[in-house]
Amino acid sequence: MALIVKKFGGTSVGTVDRIEAVADKLQQSRKNGDDVVVVVSAMSGETNRLVDLAHAIQEQPTPRELDVLLSTGEQVTIALLSMALEKRGCPARSYTGGQVHILTDTVHNKARIKDIDAARVRADLDAGRVVVIAGFQGVDEHGNITTLGRGGSDTTAVAMAAALKADECQIFTDVDGVYTTDPRVEPHARRLNKITFEEMLEMASLGSKVLQIRAVEFAGKYNVPLRVLSSFEEGEGTLITFEDEGMEEAKISGIAFNRDEAKLTILGVPDQPGIAYKILGPIAAANIEVDMIVQNIAEDTATDFTFTVHRNDYKRALAVLQATANETKAREVKGDNAIVKISLVGVGMRSHAGIASTMFEALAKEGINIRMISTSEIKISVVVDEKYLELGVRTLHEAFELAEKKPF
Ligand code: ASP
Ligand code: MG
């Protein structure tokens, strides 16, 4: 008998029929003898609908009131799901975040969970009930309703699992797991049975939007085994966990990519202490996030400096950089917003040599020019022209033999 926290996202509870289907699944888990805590999102589209309503009244909705409004979406699903369980003779109780003491900081619309008092949930479990909890919400120390940011129900589920020391936290969604890369780009992409927290963070932040990143961080920090699986099909899904012996003969777990990149270069800036700060200080002050940074070896007294930003920030960054160039008497500013980033991710890189050269060789064979390279312990990223995204991803998928191995 295990204690499992199960989270169902918006599409999984998007209609009455789907809520009934979730109740069937939960009833089955109870029959198998598991204790079950369920965290649910609002019905699909509901949170967006509420956001639109708020904007119809206020251009910048008052953050506190927006939270009061948005938290209602999840309150609808917890009640309906509990009714569906009760109808099946499966005792259940629903709670809002505040009712189970999900205590957060006071930052409305993107609050962080500080503490959970799991006593009430435990008492219900002991009494044989399924506990149904509204995701995405909590209360601050003054009793104000807060929400955790879009996609925050994942984090509620993980936090609840940590507080209850659950055996596993299962995230049911509309995909059946985490893939080696996006199947829309590479049809031979394969579902991974296991991936480490570290790898998942790289994959998630690079665009595999299966889970809220904060939920993965939280799970890693508190050692909560996390599983992503389909609401609609049977299957094991993907287990996100710590690295273990024999887990990875594979060197590479996956290929992430990001289409929304742009790069900027300032040429011929004086090479002197403080220049990186002079260039990036104003960019940070303009609230523009920088990803890769490359500075050249200086020739004589001047150097070149290149960095990447989100494509939405490209024009603003260019203007800021031009101002810096004028001020520092740099020679020239250049930019390119038709670039993408492709990254190989794998903890196996730590113990295998030659990954980078295999990567560069594969790209070279296809005539794909690499514009920038950056590496970390478990990741190698390259920036290439946008038109090479699909080709680049498929080429690397093949070079590292990530596709399903056919028996013949
Ligand atoms: N309902 C919220 C959203 O749409 C939270 C969640 O689904 O995780 O972002
Ligand atoms: Mg989600």
Side-chain angles (χ1 to χ4, degrees), residues 390-407:
E390 277 80 11
L391 180 62
V393 169
R394 287 188 206 135
T395 300
L396 295 175
H397 203 265
E398 167 127 31
F400 288 93
E401 299 176 352
L402 293 176
E404 198 80 63
K405 298 236 180 350
K406 295 266 157 50

Side-chain angles (χ1 to χ4, degrees), residues 111-389:
R112 284 182 177 266
I113 297 175
K114 286 178 19 179
D115 196 26
I116 294 181
D117 174 8
R120 186 162 191 178
V121 176
R122 273 221 183 79
D124 276 314
L125 291 174
D126 291 344
R129 297 188 190 101
V130 172
V131 183
V132 185
I133 296 171
F136 171 60
Q137 56 178 264
V139 284
D140 71 10
E141 57 186 334
H142 309 294
N144 297 302
I145 296 174
T146 53
T147 64
L148 310 179
R150 299 305 303 268
S153 298
D154 294 341
T155 302
T156 304
V158 171
M160 213 64 224
L164 291 163
K165 298 193 170 53
D167 295 287
E168 198 168 285
C169 180
Q170 301 177 341
I171 309 283
F172 288 87
T173 177
D174 41 10
V175 294
D176 66 348
V178 179
Y179 276 68
T180 49
T181 193
D182 187 337
R184 284 168 300 189
V185 170
E186 169 51 275
H188 299 295
R190 175 175 52 90
R191 181 179 56 80
L192 293 160
N193 291 324
K194 273 190 181 185
I195 185 171
T196 70
F197 291 115
E198 279 176 292
E199 289 170 328
M200 188 60 206
L201 285 174
E202 296 290 1
M203 299 285 276
S205 61
L206 291 164
S208 318
K209 296 189 183 64
V210 196
L211 275 174
Q212 202 196 32
I213 293 180
R214 265 173 53 202
V216 182
E217 284 168 357
F218 211 108
K221 191 163 159 194
Y222 294 99
N223 197 5
V224 178
L226 190 58
R227 192 183 291 278
V228 175
L229 59 186
S230 165
S231 292
F232 309 114
E233 294 163 32
E234 290 297 310
E236 295 290 290
T238 300
L239 180 66
I240 305 162
T241 183
F242 283 107
E243 211 171 335
D244 61 25
E245 301 285 312
M247 173 170 167
E248 293 295 328
E249 322 92 59
K251 300 170 198 160
I252 299 303
S253 289
I255 300 168
F257 57 83
N258 188 348
R259 298 177 192 272
D260 306 315
E261 300 263 320
K263 76 177 165 62
L264 299 100
T265 303
I266 183 165
L267 294 149
V269 275
D271 181 36
Q272 50 189 226
I275 195 65
Y277 174 62
K278 259 213 183 104
I279 294 167
L280 293 181
I283 297 284
N287 237 323
I288 297 171
E289 228 177 282
V290 172
D291 181 17
M292 284 191 201
I293 303 172
V294 175
Q295 187 186 325
N296 254 358
I297 305 276
E299 264 179 52
D300 303 326
T301 54
T303 189
D304 308 332
F305 196 96
T306 303
F307 57 94
T308 62
V309 298
H310 193 282
R311 213 175 273 184
N312 291 345
D313 293 328
Y314 176 64
K315 286 228 171 75
R316 270 189 329 124
L318 207 54
V320 173
L321 193 61
Q322 191 59 61
T324 309
N326 297 344
E327 198 182 301
T328 56
K329 305 204 167 40
R331 197 173 72 237
E332 195 186 353
V333 166
K334 281 188 181 172
D336 187 349
N337 64 351
I339 55 152
V340 294
K341 181 168 75 172
I342 304 178
S343 306
L344 280 183
V345 177
V347 292
M349 265 182 219
R350 289 197 188 111
S351 49
H352 289 88
I355 305 268
S357 65
T358 305
M359 179 183 197
F360 303 153
E361 182 190 13
L363 295 172
K365 272 191 186 149
E366 295 296 334
I368 299 175
N369 194 19
I370 301 171
R371 308 251 171 219
M372 289 171 83
I373 301 171
S374 83
T375 63
S376 78
E377 230 190 316
I378 65 160
K379 180 179 75 169
I380 306 172
S381 302
V382 294
V383 165
V384 299
D385 290 350
E386 181 177 70
K387 64 179 178 211
Y388 291 130
L389 176 87

Side-chain angles (χ1 to χ4, degrees), residues 71-98:
S71 64
T72 62
E74 272 71 11
Q75 194 168 337
V76 171
T77 33
I78 55 171
L80 293 175
L81 180 57
S82 299
M83 290 174 194
L85 287 163
E86 291 276 333
K87 180 170 84 176
R88 285 165 174 74
C90 182
R93 239 177 223 179
S94 68
Y95 294 106
T96 62

